[in-house]
Amino acid sequence: MSTGKKLVNSPEDAVDEALAGMVAVHPGLRLLEGHRVVVRADIASVVKEGKVTLLSGGGSGHEPSWAGFVGQGMLSAAVAGSVFASPPPASILAALRAVSSPNGGGGRRPGTLVVFNNYTGDRLNFGIAAERAKAEGMKVEMVIVAEDTALPSSGKKAGRRGLCGTILVHKIAGALSEQGATLEEVVKAAEKVAESVATMSVSLSPCSVPGHKPSFHLQEDEMELGLGIHGEAGAQRTKLQPANKVVARMLDHLTSQEPGHQYFKPEPGMEVALVVNNLGGTSNLELSLVANAAIRYLVDRMGLKVERAYVGAFMTSLEMAGVSLTLLKLFPKCQQLLDYLTNA
């Protein structure tokens, strides 16, 4: 069980020191002075070439999201908030200024796509910054990702939560941008991915924000299905079960066609990409075991074709033990864009 212990110097400086460390070990990145914004070191060349730029971000504590996906073929910049808190509009606007140009690439105005998860603070702060950027003459579009399948859609004022499926939006939109697609083309593809992706998670232990105790507790023999990446309540708390049964429950829930849950409809022969995401404190042994169980269930029980599978830590929740499973229904050229080279 999480105890709240952290290897930090001080809770107040943890985010800034972590970002400084990331930039220190990745020469292709730099920090925007005065802001928690990581940008590509070659961003001036990207803008000059007239390519669409991509910006994302959110609260810290989900590393490697989002700064870990800044690089050629993915994000142009990422803005970080405090742990589990949305970044302020001023920093988002500074990031937009860093990756935008009123006239780039021979007079073109390529524009910037802003991608973020569906959380109230992010919607508010990114929306404010985008409107200010437009008022300054920047060309900005937004795509909000909300692919959580844990809770029914009825009666949810805030809508579905954004989870690990966001990284697939980054990947496909970033590949198109690198190939010289227009902002309209990049937005269309990003929206298609956001509509075609679904995620379900399971947690075995809580996490704790630096300087604080865990925000909730699970007994040694308990797990929670559908928990949010900030510790938000899930769909069900139950006794811990063998991995094969847990994976089956997650995928059955993700593909449920019950009223209020019709988020992802599987069809025999459908081609999908699978992401097995470490929520932070899960061992590599467990991840590989879960990946095997998920692929077997999708292929043998659901009749799907798993054309691509990714396993690792992509969007974490500090040290939370658990995993999320993400499915993306592949569409034409999707595999090519997923395979496109990135150095992020």
Side-chain angles (χ1 to χ4, degrees), residues 8-280:
V8 300
N9 295 309
S10 73
E12 296 77 16
D13 297 331
V15 172
D16 295 304
E17 292 177 351
L19 291 174
M22 172 172 285
V23 171
V25 299
H26 293 93
L29 305 177
R30 67 177 178 87
L31 272 170
L32 206 59
E33 186 176 355
H35 298 280
R36 290 170 171 168
V37 175
V38 174
V39 298
R40 288 176 56 172
D42 62 348
I43 191 62
S45 298
V46 176
V47 173
K48 186 176 181 180
E49 291 171 6
K51 292 180 179 178
V52 170
T53 52
L54 268 69
L55 172 66
S56 189
S60 296
H62 305 301
E63 291 75 17
S65 291
W66 283 253
F69 300 118
V70 175
Q72 181 180 350
M74 288 193 78
L75 298 178
S76 308
V79 55
S82 298
V83 176
F84 292 177
S86 178
S91 290
I92 301 170
L93 181 58
L96 282 167
R97 289 169 178 157
V99 302
S100 301
S101 173
N103 292 290
R108 286 182 59 194
R109 296 180 66 241
T112 301
L113 171 61
V114 182
V115 180
F116 57 93
N117 287 354
N118 186 37
Y119 293 99
T120 303
D122 289 333
R123 292 184 68 111
L124 177 64
N125 292 352
F126 277 94
I128 290 172
E131 290 305 312
R132 291 178 180 172
K134 291 177 183 177
E136 293 181 10
M138 289 178 248
K139 189 176 180 182
V140 179
E141 296 290 345
M142 296 191 302
V143 170
I144 303 171
V145 184
E147 93 286 9
D148 184 19
T149 63
L151 303 175
S153 57
S154 57
K156 291 194 67 186
K157 294 181 180 180
R160 298 162 64 190
R161 301 175 291 210
L163 301 171
C164 188
T166 307
I167 67 163
L168 297 174
V169 179
H170 296 164
K171 182 66 186 72
I172 289 174
L176 276 173
S177 171
E178 200 65 40
Q179 294 174 10
T182 65
L183 180 59
E184 291 72 20
E185 292 169 334
V186 175
V187 169
K188 183 177 179 181
E191 291 176 339
K192 179 68 173 177
V193 177
E195 294 168 358
S196 305
V197 71
T199 297
M200 182 65 183
S201 64
V202 64
S203 174
L204 308 184
S205 75
C207 63
S208 58
V209 173
H212 297 79
K213 294 293 184 181
S215 57
F216 67 96
H217 295 280
L218 284 171
Q219 299 300 322
E220 290 295 329
D221 62 345
E222 284 185 325
M223 65 179 187
E224 186 156 355
L225 291 163
L227 197 76
I229 55 174
H230 307 103
E232 302 95 337
Q236 184 182 21
R237 185 172 291 197
T238 183
K239 295 296 183 181
L240 185 64
Q241 297 177 332
N244 287 348
K245 290 186 177 181
V246 175
V247 168
R249 289 185 67 175
M250 293 172 71
L251 291 173
D252 285 343
H253 192 104
L254 188 154
T255 58
S256 173
Q257 297 303 296
E258 294 182 7
H261 281 281
Q262 299 167 350
Y263 299 129
F264 191 98
K265 185 177 182 180
E267 299 173 355
M270 176 189 290
E271 296 182 341
V272 299
L274 166 71
V275 180
V276 180
N277 174 55
N278 186 349
L279 290 178

Side-chain angles (χ1 to χ4, degrees), residues 243-244 247 274-279 281-297 309-314 322-325:
N244 287 348
V247 168
L274 166 71
V275 180
V276 180
N277 174 55
N278 186 349
L279 290 178
T282 306
S283 69
N284 288 329
L285 184 147
E286 293 167 279
L287 287 178
S288 295
L289 189 154
V290 168
N292 179 56
I295 292 172
R296 284 171 46 207
Y297 196 81
Y310 309 95
V311 181
F314 303 105
V323 299
S324 64
L325 300 178

